[in-house]
Amino acid sequence: MNRDEELDFGFAFEDRYRPLLAVLGVRPDTCRLTLTGEVLRVRFGPWLVLSPRANVAAAELSGPFSPLKAIGVRVSLSDGGLTFGSSTRQGVCIRFHRSVSGSDPLGVLRHPALTVTVEDAARLAGLLTRREPSRVPHA
C-alpha cells in the first residue's frame, strides 16, 4: 500500500443490535475505518481513534464474541483494550506500540489495543500485518 492510497472498511452490523447502537449514534453511515500508508483512522459514531500507521504493532482475527463484551463501545477490565463492536461474529484486534485514546472525550484513558468488527476483517488484518520491505540506500 503506498502512502497516498486510502482504503475504507465499513462496520459489519447485525440487525438485532442496530436499534441499540443507533441510540448511541452508531449507524453504518457514522462508522468507518480508513487506512492509508500513514494513518489508521477509526470512527465509531461519536468515538474516534486516530493513530500513525507505524504505531500498529500487530493485528489478528478474533471472535466470535459474547454480545455483552462486543456490542457498542467497551473497555476491557483485564487489559484496558478498547472495542468498537457492531457484530458478535468476527473482528480484528489491532495492537499498538504506544497506547491510543478513543473511549473518552478528553483522551485521558489510553488503550494498548482496539478491536473492530469491520466488514472484510481478514483483509484488514492482512493489510495491517504486511510489512513494506525496508529500503537500503545504494553505496
Side-chain angles (χ1 to χ4, degrees):
M1 166 173 228
N2 67 47
R3 97 187 237 182
D4 297 327
E5 190 177 359
E6 183 175 293
L7 297 174
D8 285 326
F9 292 81
F11 274 71
F13 278 80
E14 287 181 51
D15 288 339
R16 62 184 161 180
Y17 302 118
R18 283 181 187 244
L20 170 68
L21 291 168
V23 170
L24 301 172
V26 175
R27 301 178 312 274
D29 64 320
T30 65
C31 298
R32 177 112 359 241
L33 183 147
T34 302
L35 183 65
T36 72
E38 300 292 318
V39 175
L40 169 70
R41 181 181 190 274
V42 186
R43 169 67 67 187
F44 193 70
W47 292 272
L48 174 68
V49 169
L50 188 61
S51 174
R53 173 89 181 263
N55 189 35
V56 174
E60 60 190 30
L61 291 174
S62 57
F65 310 105
S66 156
L68 292 175
K69 292 185 177 182
I71 300 301
V73 176
R74 300 280 188 255
V75 176
S76 169
L77 295 177
S78 64
D79 67 2
L82 179 61
T83 296
F84 289 167
S86 55
S87 170
T88 59
R89 294 184 188 113
Q90 187 175 53
V92 179
C93 179
I94 305 165
R95 300 201 184 284
F96 299 101
H97 294 290
R98 289 178 319 282
S99 295
V100 298
S101 62
S103 63
D104 67 289
L106 299 177
V108 174
L109 294 177
R110 309 293 290 181
H111 309 285
L114 171 65
T115 297
V116 292
T117 57
V118 295
E119 297 169 339
D120 207 351
R123 181 173 181 226
L124 176 62
L127 287 167
L128 290 173
T129 56
R130 186 176 305 141
R131 298 284 183 239
E132 298 297 323
S134 60
R135 298 189 180 187
V136 178
H138 292 74

